[in-house]
Amino acid sequence: MIFLFVTGKILPLPPVGGTRPAPFEPPQGGNAARVRKLSGVLCCSPYYYSVALPVYKTAQHHNMKFFIDTASLDQIKEAKDLGILDGVTTNPSLMAKEGISGDKNVLDHYRAICELVDGDVSAEVIATDFKGMVEEGERLSDLAPNIVVKIPMIKDGIKAMSYFTDRGIRTNCTLVFSAGQAIIAAKAGATYLSPFIGRIDDISWDGVELIKDIAEIYAIQGFDTQILAASIRNAKHIVDSARAGADVVTCPLSAILGLLKHPLTDIGLEQFLADHKKVNELLLK
Ligand code: E4P
């Protein structure tokens, strides 16, 4: 049997003239990036239809997740009702925006969010020292099984992420603005990595380019950390992040709803309804 080594996984090639022997194991973790790489490498080769395409189709079960970036229970409910919501991210500013203050209220609010959604809920620590982050992170992770402890990209944060990784507690590394930060967070075993693409655009750099860069590095290195495109400002950011290989996008509700909009859809629907009404009014005469 011939084997093909792709981004840290061994994939069996089909025997010449034969059928594919076994279902391919889809790449775990940062799938979008890995599959993008695989398809890119093989799309011009004879193996594209026999290897890359089946792997791509299998991996579609792991397509880009949609998180909402808010602490508002109303907005979380609205996104959940669309049936497309995979999780929630919050941060101290978003909690403050909802007027949530005091330890008990903060914990109660996270509990309420976790009851509302099945998917992962990122809850951010306020402490900036190792001991404080560990204590706070453990308290947060005890709230519900879907809590992911969100930790800032600082030296003690990396120590805390390594500590949580060793204990099977999932983390989201936040405030990421460079590929170097992405590499060290992945080494520390972060479950999610949050590059802030909108804030990078704000300083006239290119946030989506950073997503592409990290996706390529993670694919080459076989890191399992999922790229969670954060600081999304509009629907175009979501589309560009999907193309760049993000595993997750976390978006304000307005950006999610922005995906629905096209003027030709509105014009077309108006025309359909008008034509329907016209012909049915004729019937009544
Ligand atoms: C990430 O998880 C942050 O909560 C968020 O995306 C930051 O977005 P902002 O730049 O719009 O504040």
Side-chain angles (χ1 to χ4, degrees):
M1 164 118 32
I2 307 166
F3 288 92
L4 174 69
F5 187 72
V6 183
T7 65
K9 299 264 175 202
I10 305 280
L11 300 175
L13 285 181
V16 179
T19 48
R20 188 154 47 85
F24 290 114
E25 182 63 13
Q28 298 301 307
N31 289 313
R34 244 141 274 159
V35 168
R36 197 168 61 90
K37 175 104 184 149
L38 176 66
S39 304
V41 169
L42 295 176
C43 65
C44 299
S45 84
Y47 300 117
Y48 179 66
Y49 289 101
S50 59
V51 180
L53 206 55
V55 171
Y56 177 71
K57 288 192 165 166
T58 312
Q60 280 176 330
H61 296 297
H62 301 268
N63 49 21
M64 189 173 80
K65 289 186 270 187
F66 272 67
F67 289 1
I68 187 166
D69 195 29
T70 185
S72 156
L73 296 179
D74 287 342
Q75 290 195 12
I76 294 169
K77 276 186 206 131
E78 193 174 334
K80 190 190 169 188
D81 287 347
L82 293 174
I84 52 92
L85 189 64
D86 299 305
V88 177
T89 55
T90 61
N91 64 37
S93 303
L94 294 170
M95 293 291 273
K97 198 171 162 195
E98 298 306 307
I100 319 289
S101 60
D103 285 356
K104 186 180 175 313
N105 289 339
V106 165
L107 296 181
D108 285 349
H109 196 75
Y110 282 135
R111 241 184 244 111
I113 295 176
C114 289
E115 277 167 21
L116 205 54
V117 294
D118 297 327
D120 288 345
V121 175
S122 287
E124 187 159 343
V125 297
I126 305 297
T128 53
D129 64 297
F130 173 71
K131 193 167 165 285
M133 281 191 247
V134 163
E135 278 170 14
E136 212 180 322
E138 284 177 339
R139 214 176 316 133
L140 289 168
S141 105
D142 282 346
L143 287 175
N146 51 339
I147 284 277
V148 174
V149 182
K150 200 170 174 189
I151 298 177
M153 165 46 71
I154 53 177
K155 193 174 167 194
D156 276 26
I158 290 296
K159 277 169 74 179
M161 273 178 258
S162 302
Y163 172 94
F164 287 128
T165 302
D166 290 346
R167 283 152 187 83
I169 293 175
R170 294 173 312 135
T171 55
N172 174 355
C173 179
T174 189
L175 290 165
V176 170
F177 295 91
S178 76
Q181 292 177 323
I183 291 172
I184 195 160
K187 280 297 285 178
T191 314
Y192 294 107
L193 178 94
S194 293
F196 277 34
I197 68 175
R199 292 193 195 187
I200 293 175
D201 287 359
D202 289 346
I203 57 160
S204 302
W205 285 31
D206 190 336
V208 173
E209 271 306 310
L210 177 63
I211 302 286
K212 278 190 208 159
D213 202 14
I214 297 170
E216 188 181 356
I217 291 168
Y218 280 10
I220 291 168
Q221 296 297 328
F223 284 130
D224 280 337
T225 298
Q226 296 179 53
I227 303 168
L228 192 165
S231 187
I232 296 272
R233 299 283 156 76
N234 49 49
K236 186 172 186 300
H237 269 158
I238 301 177
V239 174
D240 290 346
S241 297
R243 193 179 293 115
D247 298 290
V248 190
V249 275
T250 188
C251 331
L253 183 62
S254 58
I256 297 177
L257 296 178
L259 288 174
L260 308 174
K261 296 208 185 313
H262 197 289
L264 291 179
T265 304
D266 299 336
I267 294 168
L269 183 59
E270 203 178 316
Q271 183 71 58
F272 286 159
L273 295 179
D275 290 345
H276 173 84
K277 192 171 168 207
K278 212 185 321 169
V279 78
N280 280 282
E281 276 170 358
L282 280 179
L283 268 183
L284 291 174
K285 282 183 184 164

